[in-house]
Structures are given as C-alpha cells and as structure tokens.
Amino acid sequence: LDWRSKLVSPVVFEMAAAARVDRKLLSKVFDWTKVLSKVPEGSVARKDLLALRAKHDQLRERLDSHPENAAPIDFDHYRKLIANPGFVDSMEKTYKDLLTKVPYPSDPFTAEISSREKEADKHFATVIAEAKDIAQELQTSLDEFNKLPPFESMTWDDFFDRFPKYEERVDKILFEMNYEGKFEHINDMIN
C-alpha cells in the first residue's frame, strides 16, 4: 500500500490545487476503514494515508458546498432593468456561446495513474507468483523433512540416502579427525 500512497497522494493534491477535481471521482464511496485496517499502526504509510483521507474529506466538503449546476442567469430580469434590450440579448447570446465553446480541462493524470497502476499490478503479480513458488518449494522440503524418522534412530546410511550432498562433507570431517572406525548412529559422532 505504501507505493500507492506515494503514487496517488501527490497526484490528488496536485489535481485539487489546480481545482480540476471531477465530481465523479469524489462521488465514489471509498472504504477508508477497510484500507486503514490493513496498514500497520504508526507506520509512515498510515500517516500518509490519513493525510490523504483528510485532504479527500476537505475536497469533498468544498465540492458538496457548491451546487451541481450553476444557477441560471435570469436575462428577462435584466431586460427589464437595462434600457437597451439589444445589449442584454447580445450578452445572452455571448454567454450561451461561451457555455458551448468552453472546453473541459484535460485530465493528464488519469492516464499516468492507470499506466503506473498496470505496471505495479504486473510487478506485484510476478512477486506474488515468485512467493507462491518459494512457498511451494519450502512446503515440499518441510513435507520431506517430516517424513524422516527421528535422527536418534537414523543410521549414517539412512542419513546419506536421504541427504547425499552431506556424505562428502562428513567424510572430510572424519578424515580431518583421523577417525578410522565407523559410526553406527549419528549420535555416536556427537557424543
């Protein structure tokens, strides 16, 4: 979650500073409790997430304080007040033309966030796959280890049959000890 808080929070703050927060973005319900339950107490990621939540709540309050659509201008009222009704008509025409011609600000952040999220998802998919492979290998090793008889009752032949890579190492230790006899059990070597 730490990578997401580092990726998303600066972008959201920048979007808010530019006053281009889409109403759809803030209208989505986000389960902060569920996310916070997965982040350890006292961690930097939790502090960043709480800061992001506070900023989100602040932006939501600001956005909710404004109506969905601006109040319409009552041009008939101004026609009664202004002596030149042609002026009001031209203003009304200009205003309506502006409403249709004003482009909605482009959103350069959504594409970047989506591409980074896809990259991160791919990366985490490979990390998860590798972790599952390692867990499977460790589980296989553990299963093999649990199948072994107790070491106290194993002979060296039993041990070397199951762990052939250690036979050369033990032979070297025995050679260095100048031992010419034979150990019947592993405990004989220790004692």
Side-chain angles (χ1 to χ4, degrees):
L1 186 64
D2 191 35
W3 68 270
R4 287 187 184 215
S5 66
K6 287 181 180 175
L7 172 71
V8 174
S9 59
V11 172
V12 171
F13 293 146
E14 194 170 328
M15 286 173 63
R20 290 186 280 186
V21 177
D22 189 7
R23 194 171 282 277
K24 290 179 185 175
L25 176 68
L26 289 177
S27 68
K28 296 191 182 209
V29 177
F30 191 77
D31 191 359
W32 290 102
T33 309
K34 184 176 180 183
V35 174
L36 286 170
S37 69
K38 299 192 184 291
V39 181
E41 289 283 337
S43 67
V44 175
R46 188 176 185 95
K47 291 176 186 172
D48 290 343
L49 192 60
L50 289 171
L52 177 64
R53 180 182 183 180
K55 189 68 173 177
H56 176 269
D57 291 343
Q58 180 186 13
L59 291 173
R60 179 180 285 285
E61 287 176 20
R62 271 183 54 195
L63 189 63
D64 289 343
S65 68
H66 299 292
E68 178 99 22
N69 297 317
I73 299 174
D74 185 9
F75 287 102
D76 291 330
H77 173 72
Y78 290 108
R79 279 189 190 94
K80 293 176 190 172
L81 296 177
I82 297 177
N84 184 359
F87 176 74
V88 176
D89 290 338
S90 67
M91 291 301 289
E92 182 177 15
K93 182 181 180 302
T94 306
Y95 177 73
K96 288 183 179 176
D97 287 345
L98 277 176
L99 286 180
T100 58
K101 291 180 182 177
V102 174
Y104 186 76
S106 64
D107 179 15
F109 303 110
T110 302
E112 183 181 350
I113 290 172
S114 297
S115 66
R116 285 187 184 182
E117 188 173 23
K118 287 177 185 175
E119 290 173 16
D121 287 344
K122 288 178 187 176
H123 172 70
F124 287 120
T126 57
V127 169
I128 289 170
E130 290 173 4
K132 286 182 179 179
D133 291 342
I134 292 170
Q136 184 62 37
E137 289 174 17
L138 291 173
Q139 186 61 45
T140 305
S141 298
L142 182 62
D143 291 343
E144 289 177 17
F145 186 76
N146 288 335
K147 290 178 186 176
L148 292 175
F151 278 107
E152 297 84 30
S153 62
M154 284 180 77
T155 64
W156 280 107
D157 292 332
D158 294 335
F159 180 79
F160 292 139
D161 286 344
R162 287 179 173 81
F163 306 103
K165 64 182 179 181
Y166 293 111
E167 185 171 9
E168 190 175 309
R169 190 182 296 172
V170 171
D171 285 344
K172 182 179 176 185
I173 292 171
L174 291 176
F175 179 76
E176 289 172 359
M177 293 173 49
N178 292 325
Y179 184 79
E180 295 178 10
K182 186 174 182 180
F183 293 118
E184 186 61 32
H185 287 85
I186 294 175
N187 283 346
D188 295 340
M189 184 177 174
I190 297 169
N191 296 331

